[in-house]
């Protein structure tokens, strides 16, 4: 699962996997449209709807935090 | 009659001294504090014998920037903001044109600025605003020497040659525009704005001057909230912001992530205004459905005519694939739509939108050649000198007499013998469900229409979807899927970057 999430994000935005820090959104590594692109790609791939309340800086700190958010969503679905 | 925008601040500071004027994430100022701090800056500028001189403002986006703007205005100097995140090469190009007499900054940022090509004077914000020294008489003497055609600000826009053009705007143009805004939307001291626009982008003029004129309150929304739709809407609710004037892309993010169902803004948001690029009806319809009682208005205009010159208050239903009109001219503004022969268009003929009125820029700063190209004698007036501004935007009238934006003049192409507006293809394509952002370019060498879009769709699928909207000769020949659309500093699709991919 983890690999698949990483692959989707990486495929949508290679910058995310390169990023080494801990506050990707606030540091401006990804802008608002790039966030939408990542969310939409994950929604399509996993056939889920990511609630807007999850789209916050804490869940988009880096690749790990995106994976963690996704695992939370997918875990509660199954 | 007012010859300087700061007379508004005098009045509001007297009427509502303790009311919050502007607030950012770190601090806020009341109207009285704002006036006193601005007078502190003006006192220092006047003491240094600066009058009608360029003043650069190099500060983090926030309350202090606006205080500095007012300090420049009180002393009849003109301001030009330089963003702290701007690449050094662009800052240097701006400094080369502007040659500021002084840079208002902080002790902390002064070191950063010292790296640029600048050897002039500094004025440290904290020194002037905390020392409390105000010589109102000296400032008043300077202010009374100024007239309403003296410059208020210079904002730099990108020029095709790579040298930024400094658009100069005088006091009168901002007074004229702000009067229109506050009368049309009935802005009073009870209203509050949620500012999105950077201060180097002239959409911010509406937020700043409506607040100063009426005594409203303006909250400068932290930039990072625009990627976080729910905290963004909560911010609006918590601060009771009832009026927003944002670029469409900021509104699109909220609509795309379905944030309305998390935060109910029904009794909060009263006015939703936008300007800066085309607002797709698909996303606007999502807003209208979520907040049916709010007023929606589409404003249109380039920096050269002081933020906006036409407006359309949304008053009827639109299908997702219909274009939203840019509407009708604002009060005291005349719009001429001229065809290739410099005649007014008739019927639904396409022409270039040209503007006549007080709102016109005084020209590009120290750039007479570019000024002469864009600000020209009104071809319909052979009696007296009268300038119009040629926007380079192609428009036509619809059956309601409203203006419809079509494309940039330089985006008009000739393909297989047909005259085509690339913008028309973009409008058709943007109605496709899966697509959020798209951009059409013409590959002149291979004679192909190339569509860049952010959804991975087949050519056949796109052709089928747009077949009802545009003729076959306008179908894109090549589709390039972009995982991420390049966006420029002003939040618009970066056509220059896309062109490099052809």
């Amino acid at each position: 699962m983890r690999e698949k999430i990483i692959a989707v994000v990486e495929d949508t935005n290679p910058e995310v996997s390169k990023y080494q820090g801990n506050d990707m959104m606030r540091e401006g590594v990804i802008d608002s449209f790039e966030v939408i692109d990542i969310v939409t790609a994950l929604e399509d791939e996993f056939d889920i709807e990511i609630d807007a309340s999850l789209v916050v800086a804490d869940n988009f700190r880096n690749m790990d935090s995106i994976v963690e958010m996704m695992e939370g969503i997918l875990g509660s679905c199954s | 009659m007012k010859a300087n925008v700061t007379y508004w601040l005098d009045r509001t500071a007297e009427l509502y001294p303790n009311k919050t004027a502007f607030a950012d994430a770190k601090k806020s100022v009341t109207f009285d504090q704002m006036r006193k701090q601005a007078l502190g800056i003006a006192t220092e500028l006047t003491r240094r014998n600066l009058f009608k001189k360029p003043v650069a403002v190099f500060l983090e986006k926030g309350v202090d920037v606006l205080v500095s703007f007012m300090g420049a205005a009180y002393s009849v100097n003109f301001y030009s903001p330089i963003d702290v995140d701007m690449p050094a090469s662009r800052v240097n190009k701006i400094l080369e044109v502007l040659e500021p007499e002084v840079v208002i900054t902080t002790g902390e940022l002064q070191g950063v600025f010292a790296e640029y090509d600048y050897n002039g004077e500094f004025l440290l914000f904290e020194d002037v605003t905390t020392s409390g020294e105000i010589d109102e008489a000296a400032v008043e003497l300077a202010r009374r020497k100024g007239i309403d055609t003296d410059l208020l600000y210079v904002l730099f826009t990108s020029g095709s040659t790579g040298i930024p053009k400094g658009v100069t705007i005088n006091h009168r143009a901002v007074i004229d525009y702000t009067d229109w805004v506050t009368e049309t939307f009935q802005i009073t001291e009870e209203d509050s704005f949620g500012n999105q626009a950077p201060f180097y982008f002239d959409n911010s003029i509406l937020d700043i001057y409506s607040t100063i004129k009426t005594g409203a309150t303006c909250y400068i929304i932290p930039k990072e909230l625009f990627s976080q739709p729910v905290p963004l809407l909560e911010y609006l609710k918590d601060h009771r912001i009832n009026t927003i004037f944002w670029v469409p892309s900021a509104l699109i993010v909220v609509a795309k992530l379905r944030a309305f169902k998390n935060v109910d803004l029904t009794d909060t948001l009263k006015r939703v205004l936008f300007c800066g690029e085309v607002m797709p009806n698909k996303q606007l319809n999502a807003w209208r459905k979520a907040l049916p009682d709010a007023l929606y208005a589409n404003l249109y205009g380039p920096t050269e005519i002081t933020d906006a010159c036409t407006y359309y208050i949304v008053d009827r239903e639109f299908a997702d694939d219909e274009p939203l009109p840019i509407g009708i001219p604002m009060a005291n503004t005349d719009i001429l739509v001229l065809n290739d022969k410099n005649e007014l268009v008739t019927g639904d003929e396409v022409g270039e939108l040209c503007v006549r009125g007080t709102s016109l820029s005084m020209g590009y700063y120290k750039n007479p050649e570019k000024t002469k190209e864009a600000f020209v004698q009104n071809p319909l007036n052979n009696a007296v000198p009268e300038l119009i501004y040629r926007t380079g935007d192609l428009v036509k009238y619809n059956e309601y007499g409203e203006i419809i934006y079509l494309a940039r003049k330089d985006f008009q192409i000739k393909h297989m013998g047909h005259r085509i507006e690339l913008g028309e293809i973009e409008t058709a394509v943007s109605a496709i469900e899966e697509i959020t952002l798209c951009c059409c370019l013409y590959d002149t060498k291979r004679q192909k229409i190339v569509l860049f879009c952010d959804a991975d769709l087949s050519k056949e699928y796109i052709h089928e979807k747009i077949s009802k909207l545009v003729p076959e000769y306008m179908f894109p020949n090549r589709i390039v899927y972009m995982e991420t659309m390049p966006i420029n500093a002003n939040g618009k699709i970066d056509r220059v970057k896309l062109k490099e991919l052809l």
Side-chain angles (χ1 to χ4, degrees):
Chain A
M1 186 62 69
R2 188 185 164 83
E3 285 69 36
K4 197 172 160 192
I5 298 166
I6 292 175
V8 174
V9 176
E10 203 163 46
D11 199 35
T12 314
N13 194 319
E15 293 297 314
V16 177
S17 44
K18 278 187 234 152
Y19 177 73
Q20 300 289 324
N22 194 32
D23 210 353
M24 191 166 63
M25 207 187 246
R26 286 196 197 93
E27 281 176 23
V29 177
I30 47 170
D31 66 23
S32 56
F33 274 108
E34 291 167 324
V35 173
I36 290 195
D37 289 339
I38 293 169
V39 170
T40 314
L42 289 167
E43 287 184 334
D44 290 350
E45 184 63 34
F46 293 96
D47 197 24
I48 48 159
E49 202 166 278
I50 297 175
D51 192 86
S53 62
L54 294 171
V55 185
V56 289
D58 266 351
N59 287 335
F60 286 79
R61 290 183 170 281
N62 47 35
M63 184 68 93
D64 283 343
S65 68
I66 297 177
V67 170
E68 207 174 298
M69 169 190 77
M70 282 301 291
E71 284 174 346
I73 298 170
L74 296 166
S76 65
C77 290
S78 55
Chain B
M1 194 201 67
K2 289 178 180 64
N4 190 308
V5 292
T6 54
Y7 288 106
W8 280 335
L9 184 54
D10 289 347
R11 185 175 159 271
T12 37
E14 204 178 303
L15 288 174
Y16 321 105
N18 300 318
K19 189 170 180 287
T20 301
F22 295 92
D24 60 34
K26 290 181 196 136
K27 63 162 125 174
S28 67
V29 280
T30 64
F31 283 101
D32 185 56
Q33 289 166 335
M34 183 178 201
R35 178 171 180 273
K36 289 200 173 110
Q37 290 180 17
L39 282 171
I41 290 174
T43 299
E44 180 59 21
L45 292 173
T46 304
R47 198 186 61 77
R48 295 189 193 185
N49 275 324
L50 297 176
F51 180 69
K52 301 209 288 180
K53 292 286 192 290
V55 173
V57 178
F58 187 68
L59 293 167
E60 294 273 356
K61 188 187 179 188
V63 168
D64 296 349
V65 178
L66 304 175
V67 170
S68 305
F69 286 179
M70 289 305 109
Y74 264 116
S75 56
V76 198
N77 290 290
F78 51 96
Y79 62 82
S80 191
I82 292 180
D83 190 56
V84 292
D85 293 324
M86 198 181 280
S89 62
R90 189 171 157 84
V91 175
N92 286 332
K93 280 180 190 155
I94 288 177
L95 291 175
E96 206 183 312
V97 179
L98 187 69
E99 296 182 278
E101 290 284 339
V102 61
V103 175
I104 302 179
T105 186
T106 60
E108 209 183 321
L109 284 167
Q110 189 181 3
V112 179
F113 208 86
E115 304 279 308
Y116 305 139
D117 302 337
Y118 178 72
N119 302 312
E121 287 181 45
F122 288 95
L123 190 160
L124 298 188
F125 185 87
E126 60 272 26
D127 289 357
V128 180
T129 50
T130 51
S131 73
E133 193 208 324
I134 297 173
D135 186 345
E136 250 192 278
V139 173
E140 186 54 27
L141 208 64
R143 183 163 70 166
R144 273 166 53 189
K145 276 195 291 173
I147 61 172
D148 67 359
T149 49
D150 284 331
L151 297 187
L152 174 60
Y153 62 78
V154 179
L155 292 184
F156 283 84
T157 66
S158 57
S160 50
T161 54
I163 297 165
K165 289 183 287 188
V167 179
T168 59
I169 297 291
N170 63 30
H171 285 260
R172 189 174 61 177
V174 171
I175 292 169
D176 186 63
Y177 174 62
T178 308
D179 282 345
W180 175 83
V181 171
T182 55
E183 281 162 29
T184 305
F185 300 111
Q186 294 164 19
I187 308 292
T188 71
E189 79 283 359
E190 284 168 25
D191 289 308
S192 51
F193 289 90
N195 161 270
Q196 171 267 323
F199 297 145
Y200 56 82
F201 185 28
D202 75 337
N203 270 10
S204 61
I205 298 302
L206 186 147
D207 302 334
I208 299 169
Y209 290 97
S210 301
T211 300
I212 289 174
K213 182 191 166 188
T214 63
T217 295
C218 179
Y219 294 93
I220 300 162
I221 304 174
K223 195 178 161 202
E224 66 266 22
L225 287 186
F226 288 93
S227 300
Q228 308 177 71
V230 172
L232 174 64
L233 298 190
E234 278 167 352
Y235 183 96
L236 299 184
K237 204 178 170 86
D238 292 347
H239 293 85
R240 294 190 193 153
I241 289 166
N242 70 6
T243 307
I244 56 174
F245 182 44
W246 291 355
V247 280
S249 56
L251 299 172
I252 292 171
V253 171
V254 173
K256 274 288 266 192
L257 292 172
R258 309 163 297 264
F260 299 115
K261 65 177 195 312
N262 300 72
V263 186
D264 182 11
L265 290 177
T266 308
D267 297 319
T268 307
L269 258 191
K270 211 163 124 186
R271 310 176 187 92
V272 178
L273 319 177
F274 39 90
C275 183
E277 56 191 335
V278 175
M279 178 74 200
N281 265 312
K282 188 170 53 175
Q283 320 295 352
L284 180 59
N285 282 337
W287 273 83
R288 295 177 67 184
K289 203 175 146 202
L291 296 168
D293 296 329
L295 174 142
Y296 296 89
N298 186 22
L299 276 62
Y300 155 87
T303 308
E304 283 86 341
I305 52 77
T306 319
D307 198 13
C309 55
T310 74
Y311 71 110
Y312 172 65
I313 294 178
V314 181
D315 61 354
R316 58 179 189 269
E317 299 301 313
F318 288 93
D320 286 354
D321 58 7
E322 271 182 276
L324 191 66
I326 57 170
I328 56 172
M330 292 176 177
N332 200 27
T333 298
D334 188 21
I335 301 294
L336 315 172
V337 182
L338 300 176
N339 65 18
D340 293 345
K341 292 181 208 126
N342 266 338
E343 301 158 344
L344 292 174
V345 295
T346 53
D348 63 353
E349 187 187 354
V350 175
E352 182 181 358
L353 191 149
C354 301
V355 190
R356 192 174 73 93
T358 292
S359 62
L360 255 62
S361 159
M362 308 284 283
Y364 299 117
Y365 198 66
K366 291 186 187 162
N367 194 338
E369 289 81 27
K370 290 277 171 208
T371 302
K372 255 183 257 163
E373 281 171 29
F375 299 89
V376 300
Q377 170 68 22
N378 179 358
L380 307 179
N381 185 346
N382 57 15
V384 287
E386 179 186 48
L387 290 182
I388 59 167
Y389 173 68
R390 304 197 75 113
T391 63
D393 286 338
L394 293 171
V395 299
K396 67 175 183 190
Y397 288 100
N398 68 8
E399 68 265 41
Y400 303 99
E402 298 154 350
I403 301 167
I404 301 285
Y405 173 85
L406 297 171
R408 289 286 305 161
K409 201 176 174 187
D410 22 315
F411 299 154
Q412 186 181 70
I413 57 154
K414 198 105 183 220
H415 176 60
M416 318 286 278
H418 299 281
R419 232 164 90 169
I420 296 173
E421 304 303 343
L422 292 173
E424 203 176 338
I425 308 175
E426 288 168 1
T427 306
V429 170
S430 63
I432 299 172
E433 183 76 25
E434 294 88 341
I435 292 175
T436 310
L437 291 175
C438 71
C439 176
C440 247
L441 294 179
Y442 194 59
D443 185 343
T444 325
K445 212 168 86 193
R446 297 180 191 84
Q447 303 215 325
K448 298 265 182 266
I449 298 171
V450 184
L451 170 75
F452 295 88
C453 62
D454 61 355
D456 196 2
L457 304 171
S458 73
K459 194 153 91 175
E460 293 68 35
Y461 180 81
I462 290 175
H463 286 180
E464 192 210 311
K465 285 279 174 182
I466 63 173
S467 60
K468 274 178 265 146
L469 300 168
V470 293
E472 209 178 321
Y473 63 79
M474 287 173 72
F475 287 4
N477 307 105
R478 207 182 126 207
I479 315 285
V480 182
Y481 165 51
M482 301 290 292
E483 278 153 359
T484 313
M485 274 286 188
I487 304 290
N488 67 18
N490 286 346
K492 300 182 189 182
I493 294 175
D494 194 335
R495 287 176 170 269
V496 180
K497 270 219 180 102
L498 289 175
K499 222 161 211 164
E500 289 166 7
L501 300 174
L502 284 180

